[in-house]
Amino acid sequence: MAKMALLGAAVLLAGLLSIAWAQPPPVRKPNILFILADDLGYGDVQTYPNHNSEHGRMDTPRLSELTEQSMMFTDAYAGAPVCAPSRCALMTGKHLGHCTVRSNGPTLNASDTTIAQVLKEKGGYRTALVGKWGLGSNGTVASPNNKGFDHFFGYTSQENAHDYYPPFLWRNEDHYVIEANAKASRKTCGNPFTTHCVWAEDLFINETLTLLEEYSKSEETPFYLFLSFTTPHAGNVGSNAETGVPAPDEGVYADKPWPDVEKHFASCVHKQDAHVGQVLDRLDTLGLKDTTVVFYASDNGAHNEGGHNYSFFDSSGPLRGFKRSIHEGGIRSPLLVRWPGITKPGTTSAQRWAFYDFMSTAADIAGLTGSDLPDTDGYSVVPTLQGVKQDQPDFIYHEYCHPNEDKKGWGQSVVIEPHWKAVRFNNNATTFELYNLMEDIGEKDDLSAQNKNIVEQMTKILDEQHVDGNYCDGH
């Protein structure tokens, strides 16, 4: 009997082990890499529409290659028409009617929860930010490390990020001193500027590649890496003044019969394109390509600063306006998403998406649920990335304190189905504009007088979505 009992136990144990062995291994969470350009226009990426200015198009071969591997969104929106509030929407999942940061200058507060915090604390992700933060200084509750990033290398300050050859950057809470840039100027740095000085963008790429190397050594733990470029934002050499777009040199455009500032702008775009290629190549060589979801976007529309003219390369393409505008040229962004094995390469989607949808989308990619998130204004586009048709969101909302539309003051905009776009200034019905984006993407023909019922519907949304907070001249 004892032998029979032992035999039975052995059979039972063997059966249990076979069941255990037969269980599939746990599904590995995808890595998430978000690459953000600074002030890159909708029409600056070769695969997006552009009227083809007399100066031709800038060459972005690596972004064209990424487009072929990705889903290209035609109707994606940044969070705002300027840098800091756009990043606030991206980080917190809230639109500008609810965000803490609604203009350049203010910072996140203690109650703001970022996607880095969510992925780190709820999803077990390693988190890193390389480049421009702009939402709070070190030593405050709004520092990158205090807002969920395990590792930070770059600028905390919006203004300091205008200096492409800074005397120091931040590595977490410590100064990373760049001795070569101690007395940086256009004269002392030489020609190219990297003869004697160090371009911050090169340091960002080196840091990013080093991080990817480290991450590849422990692939069982996923990572969220936010690579936040400062190019092609206007800037300077050795100061925070926005008096140019100082790439190290004029690069492949040196022989063009263009103003120097436009050669430098084009060179910045070309060099960023090459840097994106370096990152994508490193993902591939490290075996991380198939497990990493890559996002590429711009924080707002094309800039018109530092002597650069956004119309020189037709940077807004078919859109009206540029940076600081609440018309499409100030807020619509290129968006490429590559998710190997999930998103069909070379596809195009007209699904509307705004920066405040990134938190829900990234959490969904990480296998998290709504209960893991703070209150947000966004939704997940993962079904769209999987090839499943989604309803459009009820609306896409934007506002900004000081839009550049004829200096009309505080402005709002909203897009709803099927194709309506409203713009309003100073909460004043007499400034209301209404456009049919399907037929008039350039917002030239105001249809508000002929569509009073649509105006009434959209006025209600504009009124409901803005929460006063004394962020902007009392609004």
Side-chain angles (χ1 to χ4, degrees):
M1 291 294 292
K3 289 183 177 180
M4 291 295 292
L6 286 171
L7 179 61
V11 171
L12 177 61
L13 178 60
L16 291 173
L17 288 173
S18 67
I19 293 173
W21 289 333
Q23 296 298 314
V27 177
R28 187 194 182 286
K29 296 180 180 181
N31 306 311
I32 301 172
L33 168 61
F34 198 109
I35 304 175
L36 185 66
D38 197 341
D39 291 3
L40 187 78
Y42 186 78
D44 284 332
V45 178
Q46 270 184 306
T47 50
Y48 277 80
N50 181 301
H51 290 139
N52 293 319
S53 78
E54 61 182 289
H55 310 292
R57 297 206 65 171
M58 292 176 289
D59 193 24
T60 57
R62 297 310 304 266
L63 289 174
S64 295
E65 180 182 323
L66 180 60
T67 303
E68 294 172 359
Q69 301 167 353
S70 304
M71 178 174 285
M72 183 177 89
F73 286 77
T74 58
D75 293 52
Y77 291 85
V82 290
C83 305
S86 192
R87 285 163 171 75
C88 181
L90 183 67
M91 290 291 105
T92 66
K94 295 181 180 181
H95 63 52
L96 263 285
H98 299 151
C99 257
T100 302
V101 179
R102 304 191 191 187
S103 63
N104 286 339
T107 66
L108 298 178
N109 59 35
S111 64
D112 286 315
T113 300
T114 70
I115 183 58
Q117 289 171 290
V118 170
L119 292 175
K120 176 181 177 179
E121 296 166 11
K122 303 291 187 178
Y125 276 65
R126 294 167 289 180
T127 56
L129 163 60
V130 177
K132 178 177 171 179
W133 173 235
L135 294 174
S137 302
N138 276 336
T140 73
V141 296
S143 72
N145 292 143
N146 284 334
K147 285 302 176 185
F149 289 102
D150 298 322
H151 182 81
F152 167 63
F153 180 72
Y155 304 94
T156 58
S157 163
Q158 283 279 129
E159 291 189 359
N160 289 349
H162 299 162
D163 184 358
Y164 279 98
Y165 303 83
F168 73 90
L169 293 169
W170 289 97
R171 174 165 282 137
N172 298 315
E173 298 280 342
D174 299 320
H175 277 184
Y176 173 82
V177 176
I178 309 169
E179 293 183 1
N181 292 352
K183 297 181 179 180
S185 69
R186 291 175 183 266
K187 181 178 180 180
T188 60
C189 288
N191 186 16
F193 297 137
T194 49
T195 302
H196 303 298
C197 298
V198 178
W199 195 37
E201 297 285 291
D202 286 335
L203 295 176
F204 295 159
I205 287 304
N206 293 339
E207 190 82 2
T208 298
L209 300 182
T210 298
L211 283 168
L212 293 177
E213 292 276 1
E214 293 176 6
Y215 292 155
S216 70
K217 296 173 184 176
S218 52
E219 290 190 54
E220 67 280 358
T221 305
F223 66 82
Y224 161 52
L225 174 55
F226 179 26
L227 173 54
S228 179
F229 287 116
T230 55
T231 50
H233 194 292
N236 211 319
V237 183
S239 86
N240 297 342
E242 298 179 69
T243 56
V245 190
D249 52 43
E250 297 165 348
V252 298
Y253 302 103
D255 294 333
K256 293 291 185 180
W258 304 338
D260 288 347
V261 68
E262 304 302 352
K263 295 180 189 180
H264 271 272
F265 177 84
S267 182
C268 272
V269 173
H270 190 263
K271 290 178 188 300
Q272 183 188 116
D273 180 81
H275 280 157
V276 170
Q278 283 183 265
V279 174
L280 298 178
D281 289 344
R282 189 59 57 90
L283 287 175
D284 199 4
T285 59
L286 293 173
L288 296 171
K289 176 181 178 179
D290 291 340
T291 56
T292 303
V293 187
V294 177
F295 292 76
Y296 178 86
S298 178
D299 66 343
N300 46 247
H303 81 75
N304 199 52
E305 299 161 351
H308 164 64
N309 189 322
Y310 85 102
S311 64
F312 193 87
F313 296 109
D314 195 28
S315 291
S316 292
L319 309 179
R320 173 181 173 180
F322 51 95
K323 179 181 177 182
R324 292 188 174 84
S325 168
I326 55 172
H327 288 94
E328 295 292 284
I331 54 179
R332 196 180 287 215
S333 167
L335 174 65
L336 306 174
V337 184
R338 185 181 78 178
W339 190 353
I342 300 296
T343 300
K344 185 178 179 181
T347 53
T348 300
S349 174
Q351 185 69 22
R352 294 192 191 108
W353 185 93
F355 272 17
Y356 55 84
D357 297 314
F358 176 65
M359 177 177 279
S360 295
T361 301
D364 199 358
I365 290 170
L368 303 178
T369 65
S371 63
D372 296 312
L373 301 178
D375 290 336
T376 71
D377 295 313
Y379 78 111
S380 170
V381 294
V382 163
T384 294
L385 296 174
Q386 294 170 329
V388 178
K389 182 175 175 56
Q390 286 185 270
D391 291 336
Q392 292 285 8
D394 292 338
F395 55 82
I396 296 290
Y397 178 84
H398 289 86
E399 64 177 62
Y400 181 52
C401 293
H402 307 291
N404 57 20
E405 283 88 353
D406 300 323
K407 299 182 180 179
K408 291 179 180 178
W410 180 62
Q412 298 169 282
S413 72
V414 64
V415 178
I416 67 169
E417 273 288 87
H419 41 61
W420 293 110
K421 163 75 177 289
V423 173
R424 182 177 70 176
F425 299 96
N426 292 324
N427 198 23
N428 189 333
T430 64
T431 66
F432 202 100
E433 302 169 8
L434 182 69
Y435 302 99
N436 179 338
L437 294 181
M438 182 74 71
E439 300 176 359
D440 179 26
I441 195 172
E443 298 172 280
K444 298 176 182 177
D445 188 11
D446 180 3
L447 303 176
S448 57
Q450 303 98 298
N451 295 277
K452 296 299 185 182
N453 59 326
I454 301 297
V455 169
E456 183 177 344
Q457 176 186 355
M458 299 183 86
T459 296
K460 183 179 180 181
I461 297 173
L462 292 172
D463 289 342
E464 290 176 346
Q465 292 308 306
H466 173 77
V467 175
D468 284 349
N470 198 30
Y471 297 99
C472 171
D473 299 335
H475 296 291

